[in-house]
Amino acid sequence: GSLRRTTMVRMLSLTLSLFLVGVGIQPGAVVALQARSPAPAAAIAPSTRRAILTSLVAIGTSVAVTTTTTTTTTSSSSTNAHAYDIPEQKSYSTNARNMNRLSAGDQSGGSTYDNNPSTTAGGKRRAMTGCKVPAARYKAKVKDEKTCNQRVLAGDYDFMLEALRELECSTCPYGIQGA
């Protein structure tokens, strides 16, 4: 009875302190709770973990809101002293890394593209990719994809590589701005 109640009060107090530290509030800033004499056993309803955690979250949220409100109203020119940056999270799977990259606005597929290839075959491959993108064809002043492909396969691919260099974008699909 009494020992169990005391243990639960201590656990609640410790959990509240840890929660407040996690939110960024120093436990010393919170008004200390006064210890009260235990209530008669008949008046105490059986408590559950859910009830304790619900109370903890409600208390923590109200204290956090109160602290944030007073901080912002007293010093409007400075930022919240209790705020902190969340460090970048480590991604352990390829799917998570791709989702993080896409969320950041990078649509390149994680690839890097070379608009200055060292071989003739590499230049033709890159130019053929450029022929598929309307923005690159417009920049190269070619009317359609068929004409562009014919010029590239005939060996004249520098016109498209020059257009691709002007449209280079490391976070765009195919590395081409407007693709």
Side-chain angles (χ1 to χ4, degrees), residues 27-165:
V30 179
V31 176
L33 298 174
Q34 297 292 326
R36 296 190 304 185
S37 62
I44 296 177
S47 59
T48 62
R49 248 190 247 175
R50 181 177 290 170
I52 291 173
L53 290 176
T54 304
S55 301
L56 175 67
V57 170
I59 292 169
T61 305
S62 66
V63 170
V65 168
T66 305
T67 305
T68 305
T69 305
T70 45
T71 302
T72 53
T73 54
T74 55
S75 59
S76 58
S77 61
S78 66
T79 60
N80 188 348
H82 300 296
Y84 58 93
D85 291 330
I86 298 173
E88 186 174 336
Q89 301 297 311
K90 174 78 173 155
S91 297
Y92 292 99
S93 70
T94 304
N95 287 344
R97 282 191 293 274
N98 284 335
M99 289 305 293
N100 291 343
R101 182 181 46 74
L102 286 169
S103 295
D106 183 358
Q107 299 175 353
S108 67
S111 300
T112 56
Y113 300 96
D114 181 17
N115 291 324
N116 297 309
S118 57
T119 63
T120 304
K124 284 184 180 180
R125 277 192 300 272
R126 185 66 181 146
M128 291 292 277
T129 302
C131 286
K132 294 178 184 179
V133 179
R137 287 196 311 268
Y138 178 78
K139 191 72 161 177
K141 297 180 177 76
V142 178
K143 68 177 187 171
D144 62 352
E145 187 174 347
K146 180 180 177 182
T147 307
C148 182
N149 288 339
Q150 288 173 342
R151 282 182 67 181
V152 170
L153 291 175
D156 179 24
Y157 57 89
D158 287 331
F159 74 98
M160 181 53 72
L161 291 179
E162 288 174 18
L164 292 177
R165 284 184 206 110

